[in-house]
Amino acid sequence: MRKLSIYREPSTGRSLFELAITLIPFALCWVAMVLAVRTGHFWLYALLLIPAAGLVVRLFMIQHDCGHGSFFRRRSGNDWTGRLLGILTLTPYDYWRHSHAVHHANAGNLDGRGIGDIDTLTVDEYLARSRWGRLRYRLYRHPLVMFGVGPVYLFLFQYRLPIGFMRKGRPWLSTMLTNLAILVMAGGLIWLVGIGPFLMVHVPVVLLAAAGGVWLFYVQHQFEETHWAEGESWSMPEAALHGSSHYDLPAVLRWFTANIGIHHVHHLVSRIPYYRLPEVLRDHPELRDVGRLTLRESLSCVRLVLWDEARRRLVSFKDLRRHGNSGPAPQAV
């Protein structure tokens, strides 16, 4: 970790450039999509939908770096940039920053699950549940829920009311002010372009970006050879390096996702700006193959739903049936 600390220093000029080459193309895409809807050129609308959503993902990743204090040198620059971007990404900055810090502090810790991560049961915990409890977990982990219903609920509803943070002043205030700013922004855009074009453009773009963001977060920790531990056997460096994947995406996807796929390095030193993460892999090639996942390999991660403490890996429901693990007697949930 000490060796990587030299990459922590952000460049203000580079950060402003990265922000500009994301915000300006997004604005241009948004305007072009509105014009396409108004003039009936739906082929152009369809052509721009995925790039526009990808730019929202990139804006979210810039907001993510602001939350780690790694995008600008000054905390005020990070915080206010993050708060303003939260209006576009529908993510209240201070609320998200707090829950994400909990995630970083407890990633891979079986004793620290529950905030800012994907709910993951061990095999024994799953088998100890009642039939209804198992069914609920199966529904939660189903791809249509995880990457369809889940992102809609998370970004449209959960982020609007910070349950669990009611007594924490700044996350609560940030959420309410973000909600107000979103209403003002939406009202202004509806007044400018009309409610039909606004709903056809902004809502699908943001929700598609939300699904992409959830997918990225999922594969960064939910892969077969990931690392979980508990008690004194858990250590942050080991969990960061082996419990986070190196999602080795094609170059264009690395750009849209702001190098977040180099997630094991990010968890080791979260203050490294995303545009410096490739430098780390270049200078430390031994990190390239740690937890490496290709785009094709990542698709199989969807089936991995339970942590098998005996085998020290994530397994699928099919694996559970195949190995005939009877487990403890079901209990009421």
PDB file of all heavy atoms in Angstrom, residues 8-33:
ATOM      1  N   ARG A   8      -1.518   9.033  -5.378  1.00  0.00           N
ATOM      2  CA  ARG A   8      -2.716   9.647  -4.790  1.00  0.00           C
ATOM      3  C   ARG A   8      -2.943  11.094  -5.208  1.00  0.00           C
ATOM      4  O   ARG A   8      -4.061  11.587  -5.105  1.00  0.00           O
ATOM      5  CB  ARG A   8      -2.626   9.581  -3.256  1.00  0.00           C
ATOM      6  CG  ARG A   8      -2.763   8.181  -2.710  1.00  0.00           C
ATOM      7  CD  ARG A   8      -2.516   8.130  -1.213  1.00  0.00           C
ATOM      8  NE  ARG A   8      -3.294   9.114  -0.490  1.00  0.00           N
ATOM      9  CZ  ARG A   8      -3.343   9.210   0.832  1.00  0.00           C
ATOM     10  NH1 ARG A   8      -2.633   8.372   1.560  1.00  0.00           N
ATOM     11  NH2 ARG A   8      -4.064  10.132   1.421  1.00  0.00           N
ATOM     12  N   GLU A   9      -1.930  11.774  -5.665  1.00  0.00           N
ATOM     13  CA  GLU A   9      -2.050  13.203  -5.918  1.00  0.00           C
ATOM     14  C   GLU A   9      -2.829  13.472  -7.211  1.00  0.00           C
ATOM     15  O   GLU A   9      -2.400  13.094  -8.304  1.00  0.00           O
ATOM     16  CB  GLU A   9      -0.660  13.832  -6.037  1.00  0.00           C
ATOM     17  CG  GLU A   9      -0.679  15.346  -6.063  1.00  0.00           C
ATOM     18  CD  GLU A   9      -1.081  15.949  -4.719  1.00  0.00           C
ATOM     19  OE1 GLU A   9      -1.020  15.238  -3.693  1.00  0.00           O
ATOM     20  OE2 GLU A   9      -1.445  17.125  -4.716  1.00  0.00           O
ATOM     21  N   PRO A  10      -3.994  14.132  -7.111  1.00  0.00           N
ATOM     22  CA  PRO A  10      -4.743  14.469  -8.332  1.00  0.00           C
ATOM     23  C   PRO A  10      -4.177  15.704  -9.005  1.00  0.00           C
ATOM     24  O   PRO A  10      -3.475  16.509  -8.388  1.00  0.00           O
ATOM     25  CB  PRO A  10      -6.156  14.736  -7.808  1.00  0.00           C
ATOM     26  CG  PRO A  10      -5.945  15.231  -6.418  1.00  0.00           C
ATOM     27  CD  PRO A  10      -4.715  14.535  -5.893  1.00  0.00           C
ATOM     28  N   SER A  11      -4.466  15.864 -10.284  1.00  0.00           N
ATOM     29  CA  SER A  11      -4.100  17.054 -11.043  1.00  0.00           C
ATOM     30  C   SER A  11      -5.375  17.854 -11.293  1.00  0.00           C
ATOM     31  O   SER A  11      -6.314  17.342 -11.912  1.00  0.00           O
ATOM     32  CB  SER A  11      -3.453  16.669 -12.378  1.00  0.00           C
ATOM     33  OG  SER A  11      -3.438  17.766 -13.272  1.00  0.00           O
ATOM     34  N   THR A  12      -5.419  19.096 -10.834  1.00  0.00           N
ATOM     35  CA  THR A  12      -6.619  19.920 -11.006  1.00  0.00           C
ATOM     36  C   THR A  12      -6.959  20.101 -12.481  1.00  0.00           C
ATOM     37  O   THR A  12      -8.121  19.971 -12.881  1.00  0.00           O
ATOM     38  CB  THR A  12      -6.420  21.295 -10.339  1.00  0.00           C
ATOM     39  OG1 THR A  12      -6.160  21.105  -8.946  1.00  0.00           O
ATOM     40  CG2 THR A  12      -7.664  22.163 -10.509  1.00  0.00           C
ATOM     41  N   GLY A  13      -5.944  20.365 -13.293  1.00  0.00           N
ATOM     42  CA  GLY A  13      -6.175  20.533 -14.722  1.00  0.00           C
ATOM     43  C   GLY A  13      -6.735  19.277 -15.361  1.00  0.00           C
ATOM     44  O   GLY A  13      -7.673  19.335 -16.162  1.00  0.00           O
ATOM     45  N   ARG A  14      -6.163  18.134 -15.016  1.00  0.00           N
ATOM     46  CA  ARG A  14      -6.637  16.862 -15.578  1.00  0.00           C
ATOM     47  C   ARG A  14      -8.062  16.572 -15.116  1.00  0.00           C
ATOM     48  O   ARG A  14      -8.909  16.121 -15.899  1.00  0.00           O
ATOM     49  CB  ARG A  14      -5.697  15.728 -15.166  1.00  0.00           C
ATOM     50  CG  ARG A  14      -6.136  14.331 -15.612  1.00  0.00           C
ATOM     51  CD  ARG A  14      -6.091  14.150 -17.109  1.00  0.00           C
ATOM     52  NE  ARG A  14      -6.600  12.857 -17.512  1.00  0.00           N
ATOM     53  CZ  ARG A  14      -5.865  11.738 -17.578  1.00  0.00           C
ATOM     54  NH1 ARG A  14      -4.573  11.776 -17.280  1.00  0.00           N
ATOM     55  NH2 ARG A  14      -6.416  10.606 -17.971  1.00  0.00           N
ATOM     56  N   SER A  15      -8.361  16.838 -13.855  1.00  0.00           N
ATOM     57  CA  SER A  15      -9.699  16.585 -13.330  1.00  0.00           C
ATOM     58  C   SER A  15     -10.737  17.454 -14.032  1.00  0.00           C
ATOM     59  O   SER A  15     -11.825  16.985 -14.399  1.00  0.00           O
ATOM     60  CB  SER A  15      -9.731  16.823 -11.815  1.00  0.00           C
ATOM     61  OG  SER A  15      -8.917  15.885 -11.140  1.00  0.00           O
ATOM     62  N   LEU A  16     -10.420  18.737 -14.234  1.00  0.00           N
ATOM     63  CA  LEU A  16     -11.342  19.634 -14.938  1.00  0.00           C
ATOM     64  C   LEU A  16     -11.546  19.176 -16.381  1.00  0.00           C
ATOM     65  O   LEU A  16     -12.664  19.237 -16.914  1.00  0.00           O
ATOM     66  CB  LEU A  16     -10.811  21.066 -14.906  1.00  0.00           C
ATOM     67  CG  LEU A  16     -10.859  21.767 -13.540  1.00  0.00           C
ATOM     68  CD1 LEU A  16     -10.135  23.100 -13.599  1.00  0.00           C
ATOM     69  CD2 LEU A  16     -12.309  21.962 -13.068  1.00  0.00           C
ATOM     70  N   PHE A  17     -10.466  18.710 -16.995  1.00  0.00           N
ATOM     71  CA  PHE A  17     -10.566  18.193 -18.361  1.00  0.00           C
ATOM     72  C   PHE A  17     -11.471  16.964 -18.408  1.00  0.00           C
ATOM     73  O   PHE A  17     -12.332  16.837 -19.288  1.00  0.00           O
ATOM     74  CB  PHE A  17      -9.165  17.854 -18.885  1.00  0.00           C
ATOM     75  CG  PHE A  17      -9.159  17.198 -20.231  1.00  0.00           C
ATOM     76  CD1 PHE A  17      -9.422  17.924 -21.381  1.00  0.00           C
ATOM     77  CD2 PHE A  17      -8.885  15.834 -20.349  1.00  0.00           C
ATOM     78  CE1 PHE A  17      -9.413  17.310 -22.630  1.00  0.00           C
ATOM     79  CE2 PHE A  17      -8.874  15.220 -21.584  1.00  0.00           C
ATOM     80  CZ  PHE A  17      -9.146  15.952 -22.735  1.00  0.00           C
ATOM     81  N   GLU A  18     -11.275  16.034 -17.469  1.00  0.00           N
ATOM     82  CA  GLU A  18     -12.097  14.822 -17.418  1.00  0.00           C
ATOM     83  C   GLU A  18     -13.572  15.174 -17.206  1.00  0.00           C
ATOM     84  O   GLU A  18     -14.458  14.549 -17.793  1.00  0.00           O
ATOM     85  CB  GLU A  18     -11.606  13.910 -16.295  1.00  0.00           C
ATOM     86  CG  GLU A  18     -10.229  13.329 -16.501  1.00  0.00           C
ATOM     87  CD  GLU A  18     -10.198  12.215 -17.525  1.00  0.00           C
ATOM     88  OE1 GLU A  18     -11.222  11.518 -17.685  1.00  0.00           O
ATOM     89  OE2 GLU A  18      -9.153  12.038 -18.176  1.00  0.00           O
ATOM     90  N   LEU A  19     -13.834  16.160 -16.374  1.00  0.00           N
ATOM     91  CA  LEU A  19     -15.210  16.590 -16.127  1.00  0.00           C
ATOM     92  C   LEU A  19     -15.814  17.189 -17.389  1.00  0.00           C
ATOM     93  O   LEU A  19     -16.973  16.897 -17.742  1.00  0.00           O
ATOM     94  CB  LEU A  19     -15.217  17.608 -14.988  1.00  0.00           C
ATOM     95  CG  LEU A  19     -16.572  18.037 -14.411  1.00  0.00           C
ATOM     96  CD1 LEU A  19     -17.344  16.829 -13.885  1.00  0.00           C
ATOM     97  CD2 LEU A  19     -16.360  19.056 -13.300  1.00  0.00           C
ATOM     98  N   ALA A  20     -15.036  18.008 -18.093  1.00  0.00           N
ATOM     99  CA  ALA A  20     -15.531  18.676 -19.299  1.00  0.00           C
ATOM    100  C   ALA A  20     -15.838  17.677 -20.408  1.00  0.00           C
ATOM    101  O   ALA A  20     -16.879  17.781 -21.076  1.00  0.00           O
ATOM    102  CB  ALA A  20     -14.517  19.711 -19.780  1.00  0.00           C
ATOM    103  N   ILE A  21     -14.948  16.686 -20.613  1.00  0.00           N
ATOM    104  CA  ILE A  21     -15.167  15.746 -21.717  1.00  0.00           C
ATOM    105  C   ILE A  21     -16.242  14.716 -21.388  1.00  0.00           C
ATOM    106  O   ILE A  21     -16.538  13.840 -22.211  1.00  0.00           O
ATOM    107  CB  ILE A  21     -13.856  15.035 -22.117  1.00  0.00           C
ATOM    108  CG1 ILE A  21     -13.308  14.175 -20.971  1.00  0.00           C
ATOM    109  CG2 ILE A  21     -12.831  16.037 -22.607  1.00  0.00           C
ATOM    110  CD1 ILE A  21     -12.126  13.293 -21.371  1.00  0.00           C
ATOM    111  N   THR A  22     -16.816  14.821 -20.218  1.00  0.00           N
ATOM    112  CA  THR A  22     -17.956  13.977 -19.859  1.00  0.00           C
ATOM    113  C   THR A  22     -19.247  14.790 -19.870  1.00  0.00           C
ATOM    114  O   THR A  22     -20.250  14.367 -20.456  1.00  0.00           O
ATOM    115  CB  THR A  22     -17.751  13.344 -18.471  1.00  0.00           C
ATOM    116  OG1 THR A  22     -16.464  12.738 -18.405  1.00  0.00           O
ATOM    117  CG2 THR A  22     -18.817  12.283 -18.205  1.00  0.00           C
ATOM    118  N   LEU A  23     -19.235  15.947 -19.243  1.00  0.00           N
ATOM    119  CA  LEU A  23     -20.436  16.782 -19.164  1.00  0.00           C
ATOM    120  C   LEU A  23     -20.864  17.315 -20.531  1.00  0.00           C
ATOM    121  O   LEU A  23     -22.053  17.281 -20.870  1.00  0.00           O
ATOM    122  CB  LEU A  23     -20.202  17.951 -18.216  1.00  0.00           C
ATOM    123  CG  LEU A  23     -20.485  17.721 -16.732  1.00  0.00           C
ATOM    124  CD1 LEU A  23     -20.059  18.939 -15.929  1.00  0.00           C
ATOM    125  CD2 LEU A  23     -21.965  17.413 -16.499  1.00  0.00           C
ATOM    126  N   ILE A  24     -19.917  17.811 -21.316  1.00  0.00           N
ATOM    127  CA  ILE A  24     -20.275  18.413 -22.608  1.00  0.00           C
ATOM    128  C   ILE A  24     -20.861  17.382 -23.572  1.00  0.00           C
ATOM    129  O   ILE A  24     -21.928  17.615 -24.154  1.00  0.00           O
ATOM    130  CB  ILE A  24     -19.058  19.138 -23.217  1.00  0.00           C
ATOM    131  CG1 ILE A  24     -18.684  20.344 -22.346  1.00  0.00           C
ATOM    132  CG2 ILE A  24     -19.354  19.587 -24.642  1.00  0.00           C
ATOM    133  CD1 ILE A  24     -17.389  21.022 -22.746  1.00  0.00           C
ATOM    134  N   PRO A  25     -20.232  16.224 -23.760  1.00  0.00           N
ATOM    135  CA  PRO A  25     -20.865  15.212 -24.618  1.00  0.00           C
ATOM    136  C   PRO A  25     -22.223  14.755 -24.103  1.00  0.00           C
ATOM    137  O   PRO A  25     -23.138  14.490 -24.899  1.00  0.00           O
ATOM    138  CB  PRO A  25     -19.862  14.051 -24.601  1.00  0.00           C
ATOM    139  CG  PRO A  25     -18.561  14.689 -24.311  1.00  0.00           C
ATOM    140  CD  PRO A  25     -18.873  15.809 -23.361  1.00  0.00           C
ATOM    141  N   PHE A  26     -22.378  14.666 -22.769  1.00  0.00           N
ATOM    142  CA  PHE A  26     -23.678  14.275 -22.231  1.00  0.00           C
ATOM    143  C   PHE A  26     -24.742  15.310 -22.587  1.00  0.00           C
ATOM    144  O   PHE A  26     -25.843  14.957 -23.021  1.00  0.00           O
ATOM    145  CB  PHE A  26     -23.612  14.099 -20.721  1.00  0.00           C
ATOM    146  CG  PHE A  26     -24.977  13.886 -20.096  1.00  0.00           C
ATOM    147  CD1 PHE A  26     -25.665  12.712 -20.305  1.00  0.00           C
ATOM    148  CD2 PHE A  26     -25.566  14.883 -19.322  1.00  0.00           C
ATOM    149  CE1 PHE A  26     -26.929  12.514 -19.760  1.00  0.00           C
ATOM    150  CE2 PHE A  26     -26.820  14.696 -18.770  1.00  0.00           C
ATOM    151  CZ  PHE A  26     -27.504  13.507 -18.999  1.00  0.00           C
ATOM    152  N   ALA A  27     -24.431  16.590 -22.422  1.00  0.00           N
ATOM    153  CA  ALA A  27     -25.382  17.645 -22.761  1.00  0.00           C
ATOM    154  C   ALA A  27     -25.735  17.605 -24.243  1.00  0.00           C
ATOM    155  O   ALA A  27     -26.911  17.750 -24.622  1.00  0.00           O
ATOM    156  CB  ALA A  27     -24.811  19.010 -22.382  1.00  0.00           C
ATOM    157  N   LEU A  28     -24.735  17.391 -25.091  1.00  0.00           N
ATOM    158  CA  LEU A  28     -24.984  17.320 -26.529  1.00  0.00           C
ATOM    159  C   LEU A  28     -25.857  16.117 -26.883  1.00  0.00           C
ATOM    160  O   LEU A  28     -26.766  16.216 -27.711  1.00  0.00           O
ATOM    161  CB  LEU A  28     -23.655  17.257 -27.282  1.00  0.00           C
ATOM    162  CG  LEU A  28     -22.786  18.525 -27.218  1.00  0.00           C
ATOM    163  CD1 LEU A  28     -21.440  18.281 -27.897  1.00  0.00           C
ATOM    164  CD2 LEU A  28     -23.503  19.711 -27.848  1.00  0.00           C
ATOM    165  N   CYS A  29     -25.580  14.977 -26.267  1.00  0.00           N
ATOM    166  CA  CYS A  29     -26.399  13.777 -26.496  1.00  0.00           C
ATOM    167  C   CYS A  29     -27.837  14.019 -26.062  1.00  0.00           C
ATOM    168  O   CYS A  29     -28.789  13.646 -26.768  1.00  0.00           O
ATOM    169  CB  CYS A  29     -25.819  12.591 -25.730  1.00  0.00           C
ATOM    170  SG  CYS A  29     -24.455  11.753 -26.537  1.00  0.00           S
ATOM    171  N   TRP A  30     -27.990  14.651 -24.903  1.00  0.00           N
ATOM    172  CA  TRP A  30     -29.323  14.885 -24.349  1.00  0.00           C
ATOM    173  C   TRP A  30     -30.136  15.780 -25.281  1.00  0.00           C
ATOM    174  O   TRP A  30     -31.287  15.484 -25.596  1.00  0.00           O
ATOM    175  CB  TRP A  30     -29.195  15.517 -22.967  1.00  0.00           C
ATOM    176  CG  TRP A  30     -30.405  15.390 -22.096  1.00  0.00           C
ATOM    177  CD1 TRP A  30     -30.659  14.418 -21.183  1.00  0.00           C
ATOM    178  CD2 TRP A  30     -31.533  16.285 -22.062  1.00  0.00           C
ATOM    179  NE1 TRP A  30     -31.872  14.641 -20.568  1.00  0.00           N
ATOM    180  CE2 TRP A  30     -32.428  15.782 -21.092  1.00  0.00           C
ATOM    181  CE3 TRP A  30     -31.859  17.449 -22.746  1.00  0.00           C
ATOM    182  CZ2 TRP A  30     -33.633  16.397 -20.791  1.00  0.00           C
ATOM    183  CZ3 TRP A  30     -33.071  18.072 -22.466  1.00  0.00           C
ATOM    184  CH2 TRP A  30     -33.939  17.549 -21.489  1.00  0.00           C
ATOM    185  N   VAL A  31     -29.536  16.867 -25.746  1.00  0.00           N
ATOM    186  CA  VAL A  31     -30.224  17.790 -26.650  1.00  0.00           C
ATOM    187  C   VAL A  31     -30.555  17.095 -27.975  1.00  0.00           C
ATOM    188  O   VAL A  31     -31.663  17.235 -28.506  1.00  0.00           O
ATOM    189  CB  VAL A  31     -29.368  19.045 -26.898  1.00  0.00           C
ATOM    190  CG1 VAL A  31     -29.972  19.909 -28.009  1.00  0.00           C
ATOM    191  CG2 VAL A  31     -29.242  19.860 -25.618  1.00  0.00           C
ATOM    192  N   ALA A  32     -29.598  16.341 -28.508  1.00  0.00           N
ATOM    193  CA  ALA A  32     -29.825  15.639 -29.768  1.00  0.00           C
ATOM    194  C   ALA A  32     -30.960  14.625 -29.635  1.00  0.00           C
ATOM    195  O   ALA A  32     -31.773  14.455 -30.563  1.00  0.00           O
ATOM    196  CB  ALA A  32     -28.543  14.954 -30.222  1.00  0.00           C
ATOM    197  N   MET A  33     -31.052  13.943 -28.500  1.00  0.00           N
ATOM    198  CA  MET A  33     -32.124  12.968 -28.288  1.00  0.00           C
ATOM    199  C   MET A  33     -33.474  13.655 -28.196  1.00  0.00           C
ATOM    200  O   MET A  33     -34.478  13.151 -28.721  1.00  0.00           O
ATOM    201  CB  MET A  33     -31.832  12.147 -27.033  1.00  0.00           C
ATOM    202  CG  MET A  33     -30.653  11.196 -27.175  1.00  0.00           C
ATOM    203  SD  MET A  33     -30.261  10.318 -25.640  1.00  0.00           S
ATOM    204  CE  MET A  33     -31.663   9.196 -25.538  1.00  0.00           C
TER     205      MET A  33
END
